[in-house]
Coordinates of all heavy atoms in Angstrom, one line a residue:
K712 N -59.8 -8.4 11.5 CA -58.4 -8.6 11.7 C -58.0 -10.0 11.8 O -58.6 -10.8 12.6 CB -57.9 -7.8 13.0 CG -58.1 -6.3 12.9 CD -57.5 -5.7 14.1 CE -57.6 -4.2 14.0 NZ -57.1 -3.5 15.2
V713 N -57.0 -10.4 11.0 CA -56.6 -11.8 10.9 C -55.4 -12.0 11.8 O -54.4 -11.3 11.6 CB -56.3 -12.3 9.5 CG1 -55.8 -13.7 9.5 CG2 -57.5 -12.1 8.6
P714 N -55.4 -12.8 12.8 CA -54.2 -12.9 13.7 C -53.0 -13.5 12.9 O -53.2 -14.4 12.0 CB -54.6 -13.8 14.8 CG -55.8 -14.5 14.3 CD -56.5 -13.6 13.3
H715 N -51.8 -13.1 13.2 CA -50.6 -13.6 12.5 C -50.3 -15.1 12.9 O -50.3 -15.4 14.2 CB -49.4 -12.7 12.8 CG -48.2 -13.2 12.1 ND1 -48.0 -13.2 10.7 CD2 -47.1 -13.8 12.6 CE1 -46.8 -13.7 10.4 NE2 -46.2 -14.0 11.5
D716 N -50.2 -15.9 12.0 CA -49.8 -17.3 12.2 C -48.3 -17.5 12.1 O -47.7 -17.5 11.1 CB -50.5 -18.2 11.2 CG -50.4 -19.7 11.5 OD1 -49.7 -20.0 12.5 OD2 -50.9 -20.6 10.7
S717 N -47.7 -17.6 13.3 CA -46.2 -17.7 13.4 C -45.7 -19.0 12.8 O -44.5 -19.1 12.5 CB -45.7 -17.6 14.8 OG -46.3 -18.6 15.6
S718 N -46.6 -20.1 12.6 CA -46.1 -21.3 12.0 C -45.8 -21.2 10.5 O -45.1 -22.1 10.0 CB -47.2 -22.4 12.2 OG -48.4 -22.1 11.5
K719 N -46.3 -20.1 9.9 CA -46.0 -19.9 8.5 C -44.9 -18.8 8.3 O -44.8 -18.3 7.2 CB -47.3 -19.4 7.8 CG -48.4 -20.4 7.9 CD -49.7 -19.9 7.1 CE -50.8 -21.0 7.2 NZ -52.0 -20.5 6.5
D720 N -44.1 -18.6 9.3 CA -43.1 -17.6 9.1 C -42.0 -18.0 8.1 O -41.4 -17.2 7.4 CB -42.3 -17.3 10.5 CG -43.2 -16.5 11.4 OD1 -44.2 -16.0 11.0 OD2 -42.8 -16.4 12.6
G721 N -41.8 -19.3 7.9 CA -40.8 -19.8 7.0 C -41.2 -19.5 5.5 O -40.3 -19.4 4.7
V722 N -42.5 -19.3 5.3 CA -43.0 -19.1 3.9 C -43.5 -17.6 3.8 O -44.2 -17.3 2.8 CB -44.0 -20.1 3.4 CG1 -43.4 -21.5 3.4 CG2 -45.2 -20.1 4.4
T723 N -43.2 -16.8 4.7 CA -43.7 -15.4 4.7 C -42.6 -14.4 4.8 O -41.6 -14.7 5.5 CB -44.7 -15.2 5.9 OG1 -45.7 -16.2 5.9 CG2 -45.3 -13.9 5.9
V724 N -42.7 -13.3 4.1 CA -41.8 -12.2 4.2 C -42.5 -11.0 4.7 O -43.7 -10.8 4.5 CB -41.1 -11.9 2.9 CG1 -40.3 -13.1 2.4 CG2 -42.2 -11.5 1.8
F725 N -41.8 -10.1 5.4 CA -42.3 -8.9 6.0 C -41.9 -7.7 5.1 O -40.7 -7.5 4.8 CB -41.8 -8.7 7.4 CG -42.3 -7.4 8.0 CD1 -43.6 -7.2 8.3 CD2 -41.4 -6.4 8.3 CE1 -44.0 -6.0 9.0 CE2 -41.8 -5.2 8.9 CZ -43.1 -5.0 9.2
V726 N -42.8 -7.0 4.6 CA -42.6 -5.9 3.6 C -42.9 -4.5 4.3 O -44.0 -4.4 4.8 CB -43.4 -6.0 2.3 CG1 -43.0 -4.9 1.3 CG2 -43.2 -7.4 1.7
S727 N -42.0 -3.6 4.4 CA -42.2 -2.4 5.1 C -41.7 -1.2 4.3 O -41.2 -1.4 3.2 CB -41.5 -2.4 6.5 OG -40.1 -2.6 6.3
N728 N -41.8 0.0 4.8 CA -41.4 1.3 4.2 C -42.2 1.5 2.9 O -41.7 2.2 2.0 CB -39.9 1.3 3.9 CG -39.4 2.7 3.8 OD1 -39.7 3.6 4.6 ND2 -38.6 2.9 2.7
L729 N -43.4 1.0 2.8 CA -44.3 1.3 1.7 C -44.9 2.7 1.8 O -45.2 3.2 2.9 CB -45.3 0.2 1.6 CG -44.8 -1.2 1.3 CD1 -45.9 -2.2 1.5 CD2 -44.2 -1.3 -0.1
P730 N -45.3 3.3 0.7 CA -46.0 4.6 0.7 C -47.3 4.4 1.4 O -48.1 3.5 1.2 CB -46.2 4.9 -0.8 CG -45.1 4.1 -1.5 CD -45.0 2.9 -0.7
Y731 N -47.6 5.4 2.3 CA -48.9 5.3 3.1 C -50.1 5.6 2.2 O -51.2 5.2 2.5 CB -48.8 6.4 4.3 CG -47.8 6.0 5.3 CD1 -46.6 6.7 5.3 CD2 -48.1 5.0 6.2 CE1 -45.7 6.3 6.3 CE2 -47.1 4.7 7.2 CZ -45.9 5.4 7.3 OH -45.0 5.0 8.2
G732 N -49.8 6.3 1.1 CA -50.9 6.6 0.2 C -51.2 5.6 -0.8 O -51.8 5.8 -1.8
L733 N -50.6 4.4 -0.7 CA -50.8 3.3 -1.7 C -52.3 2.9 -1.7 O -52.9 2.5 -0.7 CB -50.0 2.1 -1.3 CG -49.5 1.1 -2.4 CD1 -48.7 1.9 -3.4 CD2 -48.7 0.0 -1.8
G734 N -52.9 3.0 -2.9 CA -54.3 2.8 -3.0 C -54.8 1.4 -2.7 O -55.5 1.2 -1.7
E735 N -54.3 0.5 -3.4 CA -54.6 -1.0 -3.2 C -53.3 -1.7 -3.0 O -52.7 -2.2 -4.0 CB -55.4 -1.5 -4.4 CG -56.8 -0.9 -4.6 CD -57.7 -1.3 -3.5 OE1 -57.5 -2.3 -2.8 OE2 -58.7 -0.6 -3.2
P736 N -52.8 -1.8 -1.8 CA -51.5 -2.4 -1.6 C -51.5 -3.9 -2.1 O -50.5 -4.3 -2.7 CB -51.4 -2.4 0.0 CG -52.3 -1.3 0.4 CD -53.4 -1.3 -0.5
A737 N -52.5 -4.7 -1.8 CA -52.5 -6.1 -2.2 C -52.4 -6.2 -3.7 O -51.6 -7.0 -4.3 CB -53.7 -6.8 -1.7
A738 N -53.2 -5.4 -4.5 CA -53.2 -5.5 -5.9 C -51.9 -4.9 -6.5 O -51.4 -5.4 -7.5 CB -54.4 -4.7 -6.5
T739 N -51.3 -4.0 -5.8 CA -50.0 -3.4 -6.3 C -48.8 -4.3 -6.1 O -48.0 -4.5 -7.0 CB -49.7 -2.0 -5.6 OG1 -50.8 -1.2 -5.9 CG2 -48.5 -1.4 -6.2
L740 N -48.8 -5.0 -5.0 CA -47.6 -5.8 -4.6 C -47.7 -7.2 -5.2 O -46.6 -7.8 -5.4 CB -47.5 -5.8 -3.1 CG -47.2 -4.5 -2.4 CD1 -47.2 -4.8 -0.9 CD2 -45.9 -3.9 -2.9
R741 N -48.9 -7.7 -5.4 CA -49.0 -9.1 -5.8 C -48.2 -9.4 -7.1 O -47.4 -10.4 -7.2 CB -50.4 -9.5 -6.0 CG -50.6 -11.0 -6.4 CD -52.1 -11.3 -6.4 NE -52.6 -11.5 -5.1 CZ -52.6 -12.6 -4.4 NH1 -52.1 -13.7 -4.9 NH2 -53.2 -12.7 -3.2
P742 N -48.3 -8.6 -8.2 CA -47.5 -8.9 -9.4 C -46.0 -8.9 -9.1 O -45.3 -9.6 -9.8 CB -47.9 -7.7 -10.3 CG -49.2 -7.2 -9.8 CD -49.2 -7.4 -8.4
L743 N -45.5 -8.0 -8.2 CA -44.1 -8.0 -8.0 C -43.6 -9.3 -7.4 O -42.6 -9.8 -7.7 CB -43.8 -6.8 -7.0 CG -44.0 -5.4 -7.5 CD1 -43.7 -4.4 -6.4 CD2 -43.1 -5.1 -8.7
F744 N -44.4 -9.8 -6.4 CA -43.9 -11.0 -5.7 C -44.3 -12.3 -6.4 O -43.7 -13.4 -6.1 CB -44.5 -11.0 -4.3 CG -43.9 -10.0 -3.4 CD1 -44.4 -8.7 -3.2 CD2 -42.7 -10.3 -2.7 CE1 -43.8 -7.8 -2.4 CE2 -42.1 -9.4 -1.9 CZ -42.6 -8.1 -1.7
E745 N -45.2 -12.3 -7.3 CA -45.6 -13.5 -8.1 C -44.4 -13.9 -9.0 O -44.4 -15.1 -9.4 CB -46.8 -13.3 -8.9 CG -48.1 -13.3 -8.1 CD -49.4 -13.1 -8.9 OE1 -49.2 -12.6 -10.0 OE2 -50.4 -13.5 -8.4
A746 N -43.5 -13.0 -9.3 CA -42.3 -13.4 -10.1 C -41.4 -14.3 -9.3 O -40.6 -15.0 -9.9 CB -41.6 -12.1 -10.5
C747 N -41.5 -14.3 -8.0 CA -40.7 -15.2 -7.1 C -41.3 -16.5 -6.9 O -40.6 -17.5 -6.5 CB -40.4 -14.5 -5.8 SG -39.6 -12.9 -6.0
G748 N -42.6 -16.7 -7.0 CA -43.3 -17.9 -6.8 C -44.8 -17.7 -6.5 O -45.3 -16.6 -6.7
D749 N -45.4 -18.8 -6.2 CA -46.9 -18.8 -6.0 C -47.2 -18.0 -4.7 O -46.8 -18.5 -3.7 CB -47.4 -20.2 -6.0 CG -48.9 -20.3 -6.1 OD1 -49.5 -19.2 -6.2 OD2 -49.5 -21.3 -5.9
V750 N -48.0 -16.9 -4.9 CA -48.3 -16.1 -3.7 C -49.7 -16.6 -3.2 O -50.7 -16.6 -3.9 CB -48.4 -14.6 -4.1 CG1 -48.9 -13.8 -2.9 CG2 -47.0 -14.1 -4.5
V751 N -49.7 -17.0 -1.9 CA -51.0 -17.4 -1.3 C -51.8 -16.2 -0.9 O -53.0 -16.1 -1.1 CB -50.7 -18.3 0.0 CG1 -52.0 -18.7 0.7 CG2 -49.9 -19.5 -0.5
E752 N -51.2 -15.2 -0.2 CA -51.9 -14.1 0.3 C -51.0 -12.9 0.5 O -49.8 -13.0 0.8 CB -52.5 -14.4 1.7 CG -53.3 -13.3 2.3 CD -53.7 -13.6 3.7 OE1 -53.2 -14.6 4.3 OE2 -54.6 -12.8 4.3
V753 N -51.5 -11.7 0.2 CA -50.8 -10.4 0.5 C -51.7 -9.7 1.5 O -52.8 -9.3 1.2 CB -50.6 -9.5 -0.8 CG1 -50.0 -8.2 -0.4 CG2 -49.8 -10.2 -1.8
R754 N -51.2 -9.6 2.8 CA -52.0 -9.1 3.9 C -51.5 -7.7 4.3 O -50.6 -7.7 5.2 CB -52.0 -10.1 5.0 CG -53.0 -9.8 6.1 CD -53.1 -11.0 7.1 NE -52.0 -11.2 7.9 CZ -51.1 -12.2 7.7 NH1 -51.3 -13.0 6.7 NH2 -50.1 -12.3 8.5
P755 N -52.1 -6.7 3.8 CA -51.7 -5.3 4.3 C -52.2 -5.0 5.6 O -53.3 -5.6 6.0 CB -52.2 -4.4 3.2 CG -53.4 -5.1 2.6 CD -53.1 -6.6 2.7
I756 N -51.6 -4.2 6.4 CA -52.0 -3.8 7.7 C -52.6 -2.4 7.7 O -52.0 -1.5 7.2 CB -50.9 -3.9 8.7 CG1 -50.2 -5.3 8.6 CG2 -51.3 -3.7 10.2 CD1 -51.2 -6.5 8.9
F757 N -53.8 -2.3 8.3 CA -54.5 -1.0 8.4 C -54.7 -0.6 9.8 O -54.7 -1.4 10.8 CB -55.9 -1.0 7.7 CG -55.8 -1.4 6.2 CD1 -56.0 -2.7 5.8 CD2 -55.5 -0.4 5.3 CE1 -55.8 -3.0 4.4 CE2 -55.5 -0.7 4.0 CZ -55.6 -2.0 3.5
S758 N -54.8 0.7 10.1 CA -55.1 1.2 11.4 C -56.6 1.1 11.7 O -57.4 0.7 10.8 CB -54.7 2.7 11.5 OG -55.5 3.5 10.6
N759 N -57.0 1.5 12.9 CA -58.4 1.4 13.2 C -59.3 2.4 12.4 O -60.5 2.1 12.2 CB -58.6 1.8 14.7 CG -58.0 0.8 15.6 OD1 -57.9 -0.4 15.3 ND2 -57.5 1.2 16.8
R760 N -58.7 3.4 11.9 CA -59.4 4.3 11.0 C -59.4 3.9 9.6 O -60.0 4.6 8.7 CB -58.8 5.7 11.1 CG -58.9 6.3 12.5 CD -58.2 7.6 12.6 NE -58.7 8.6 11.7 CZ -58.3 9.8 11.5 NH1 -57.3 10.2 12.2 NH2 -58.8 10.6 10.6
G761 N -58.8 2.8 9.3 CA -58.8 2.3 7.9 C -57.6 2.8 7.0 O -57.6 2.6 5.8
D762 N -56.6 3.5 7.7 CA -55.5 4.0 6.9 C -54.4 2.9 6.8 O -54.1 2.2 7.8 CB -54.9 5.2 7.6 CG -55.9 6.4 7.7 OD1 -56.7 6.5 6.8 OD2 -55.9 7.2 8.7
F763 N -53.8 2.8 5.6 CA -52.7 1.9 5.4 C -51.5 2.3 6.2 O -51.1 3.4 6.2 CB -52.4 1.8 3.9 CG -51.3 0.8 3.6 CD1 -51.3 -0.5 4.1 CD2 -50.2 1.3 2.8 CE1 -50.3 -1.3 3.8 CE2 -49.2 0.4 2.5 CZ -49.2 -0.9 3.0
R764 N -50.9 1.4 6.9 CA -49.8 1.7 7.9 C -48.4 1.5 7.3 O -47.4 1.7 7.9 CB -50.0 0.8 9.1 CG -51.3 1.0 9.9 CD -51.3 0.2 11.1 NE -50.3 0.6 12.1 CZ -50.2 0.1 13.3 NH1 -51.0 -0.9 13.7 NH2 -49.3 0.5 14.1
G765 N -48.4 1.2 5.9 CA -47.1 1.2 5.3 C -46.3 -0.1 5.3 O -45.2 -0.2 4.9

Side-chain angles (χ1 to χ4, degrees):
K712 293 185 178 181
V713 180
H715 179 69
D716 188 359
S717 59
S718 64
K719 297 181 180 180
D720 286 350
V722 294
T723 306
V724 295
F725 178 68
V726 185
S727 60
N728 201 48
L729 295 168
Y731 293 102
L733 205 59
E735 295 292 337
T739 304
L740 297 178
R741 181 176 286 272
L743 293 177
F744 288 95
E745 283 181 342
C747 304
D749 190 7
V750 176
V751 176
E752 179 187 11
V753 178
R754 189 167 70 255
I756 305 301
F757 299 95
S758 66
N759 292 334
R760 298 175 56 182
D762 298 328
F763 179 51
R764 301 184 64 179

